[in-house]
Amino acid sequence: MRRLVRGLAGSVAALVSLTGLPYAVYLLLAKVWNPQGSPAQKRPAEPTVSIVLPTYNEERIVENKLRDIVSLDYPMNKVEVVVVDSSDDDTREIVRSFFVDRQAPELTLLEEDERRGLAPALNDAYAAASNEMVVKTDCDSRVAVDALREAAANLADPDVGAVTGRNVDVLGGSDVEEGYRDVQATIQTLESHLDSTLIFHGPFSAFENEETVPIDPDSIADDTELALKIRKNGKRVVFDPDIRYKEASHSQFGKRRTQKDRRAMGLIRLLLRNRDMLGRYGLYGGVVLPFNWWFMLVSPWLLAASLGLATVGGLLVAGPFGLVVPTGAGLFTFLGSRDRLGSLQSVYAVFDTQVSLLFAAVKLWRGEGSAVWDVDEELRDVYE
Ligand code: GDP
Ligand code: MN
């Protein structure tokens, strides 16, 4: 019995250290090397810009979004707005009347009769975009006024084909998301300095028009997929924390699952479909992709196994008192999802992401992962 318990305890310790090893390496690299900002050779540039805005039933917030776009610090006669709309509400009428009597920016409105999902809509929009820099932005986000200039400065580096930005303020005040975004910014800065980063963010992603290629019609990691393909074709795709945007999100455990699990499904599927990139494409396939494989596909399972083993071990040693492990995990989740963990909040945020990745793998395996989803109405309140 004692041997069994000791064996279990040893396994749990080994599993936990194994799970954490790549994180420790990344963290150490980030601390010792301490890369800051974008790795691109940034210089002022003023290319023509196509701003791509996909909309599905955004009548409540689309006008505010357009107002934000036209108040960006950029010569609007160099900007074209490409709205691809799949709505059955008044979104497209609102868009059209916003551009009436407006010289600039120019509007290209693509109207879909039937909603096919975001990826096909974006493919049409990218094909229609005629300017040098293509900026994709979600309707439910706010972009800093200097974002186009910062993005253009990154793309002026001939080695860089795409750039994404940083969520500087989580609207709605979710500390869970806030904590995670900070961790993520550190990771993505490191990845960008190594070579390129994996994740591109819906609120702001900029691409060289020449580099855009179609994405899979069933993609649910659209921005990330386009960036990955651009990297595959040779150019670097980087993260610049000086490109700032804001996006709303929930803290509550249940509410977070819908969106986070879907996004996680998209990323897992993308990694699996592009597994041939592992070990190729310089440090992107050599370090960045393997790390993300670990984070998204391996460590959630190791973590779950550790929790399971620790629970079994606890029950064997202490009977009912062995439930302290699952109870602790439950309490951690309860407090974390109510933003009450103080300095541990960012640890909880990573845990929350691991939970999503675990659920996402199961959902994908069960055949879920449709490219058409319910748009979260509650998250849109702050943009009205
Ligand atoms: P999330 O932020 O990942 O939860 O995704 P959202 O539901 O906020 O959608 C991101 C953007 O894509 C928003 O601007 C939506 O209006 C838009 N969108 C979502 N589904 C579709 C679709 O089927 N067609 C089009 N054209 N846009 C869509
Ligand atoms: Mn959104």
Side-chain angles (χ1 to χ4, degrees):
M1 178 72 178
R2 188 173 294 162
R3 241 223 237 124
L4 177 68
V5 169
R6 214 181 287 149
L8 273 174
S11 316
V12 171
L15 270 180
V16 171
S17 350
L18 182 68
T19 312
L21 191 67
Y23 305 115
V25 173
Y26 247 47
L27 214 78
L28 194 74
L29 252 179
K31 272 262 160 1
V32 175
W33 186 22
N34 196 22
Q36 298 289 328
S38 167
Q41 297 289 330
K42 286 170 77 172
R43 54 183 169 75
E46 218 171 66
T48 56
V49 181
S50 297
I51 299 180
V52 167
L53 176 67
T55 49
Y56 174 72
N57 289 1
E58 301 283 18
E59 62 181 10
R60 287 165 61 204
I61 63 170
V62 71
E63 190 171 350
N64 278 342
K65 179 66 186 179
L66 292 173
R67 231 178 252 135
D68 267 17
I69 288 177
V70 298
S71 57
L72 293 174
D73 170 31
Y74 210 80
M76 280 299 141
N77 56 5
K78 288 190 155 186
V79 176
E80 157 201 46
V81 177
V82 182
V83 177
V84 56
D85 181 53
S86 324
S87 307
D88 48 31
D89 69 357
D90 285 337
T91 302
R92 64 187 66 166
E93 284 71 37
I94 297 170
V95 172
R96 231 184 262 119
S97 59
F98 183 86
F99 284 90
V100 167
D101 298 331
R102 205 179 276 277
Q103 296 293 315
E106 198 183 308
L107 169 70
T108 302
L109 176 60
L110 308 176
E111 303 176 50
E112 282 203 318
D113 299 331
E114 211 167 307
R115 184 183 188 200
R116 292 172 298 163
L118 182 53
L122 284 176
N123 279 336
D124 289 354
Y126 293 146
S130 55
N131 287 339
E132 294 157 292
M133 177 166 92
V134 177
V135 170
K136 142 77 190 340
T137 182
D138 286 345
C139 207
D140 59 326
S141 66
R142 295 224 172 90
V143 171
V145 286
D146 60 350
L148 293 180
R149 290 194 184 283
E150 295 291 339
N154 276 278
L155 296 188
D157 181 333
D159 292 336
V160 174
V163 63
T164 190
R166 170 172 192 174
N167 190 357
V168 285
D169 190 4
V170 179
L171 300 168
S174 165
D175 285 354
V176 181
E177 200 58 29
E178 197 93 51
Y180 185 60
R181 292 294 158 147
D182 289 346
V183 177
Q184 203 177 35
T186 308
I187 292 175
Q188 292 205 268
T189 301
L190 178 65
E191 292 179 340
S192 300
H193 282 258
L194 286 170
D195 181 315
S196 293
T197 194
L198 174 70
I199 293 181
F200 266 56
H201 302 285
F204 193 99
S205 290
F207 311 97
E208 277 174 5
N209 196 341
E210 279 182 7
E211 294 292 325
T212 60
V213 288
I215 53 174
D216 297 342
D218 65 343
S219 181
I220 35 176
D222 39 274
D223 312 296
T224 300
E225 180 173 332
L226 181 49
L228 176 135
K229 288 184 163 165
I230 291 174
R231 177 61 191 85
K232 202 170 188 173
N233 289 334
K235 285 209 177 181
R236 287 173 76 181
V237 298
V238 300
F239 171 80
D240 184 353
D242 292 329
I243 299 175
R244 295 164 298 139
Y245 64 79
K246 301 178 182 185
E247 189 186 23
S249 66
H250 300 292
S251 264
Q252 279 181 34
F253 190 80
K255 289 183 181 174
R256 284 179 71 72
R257 294 285 70 80
T258 326
Q259 185 187 61
K260 279 220 93 158
D261 294 3
R262 163 169 47 80
R263 290 179 174 182
M265 276 191 271
L267 293 170
I268 290 177
R269 197 157 67 185
L270 183 70
L271 286 182
L272 290 174
R273 282 184 184 168
N274 292 280
R275 56 188 175 273
D276 63 317
M277 289 180 79
L278 283 171
R280 300 160 68 196
Y281 309 98
L283 289 178
Y284 185 67
V287 176
V288 175
L289 289 180
F291 175 81
N292 282 282
W293 269 77
W294 191 266
F295 184 76
M296 292 181 199
L297 280 147
V298 182
S299 97
W301 296 94
L302 291 181
L303 217 66
S306 312
L307 272 177
L309 276 181
T311 304
V312 172
L315 289 171
L316 284 175
V317 176
F321 295 107
L323 289 175
V324 59
V325 173
T327 311
L331 192 67
F332 185 59
T333 306
F334 178 85
L335 292 174
S337 68
R338 278 163 188 74
D339 294 337
R340 287 205 208 127
L341 283 175
S343 56
L344 279 184
Q345 199 66 45
S346 64
V347 179
Y348 173 73
V350 174
F351 174 74
D352 173 270
T353 303
Q354 294 281 292
V355 170
S356 262
L357 289 158
L358 193 74
F359 288 1
V362 175
K363 285 183 182 179
L364 272 180
W365 182 67
R366 294 205 319 225
E368 293 179 40
S370 158
V372 182
W373 60 82
D374 293 334
V375 166
D376 189 322
E377 282 298 326
E378 192 184 334
L379 278 184
R380 280 156 173 75
D381 292 345
V382 286
Y383 302 98
E384 279 200 67

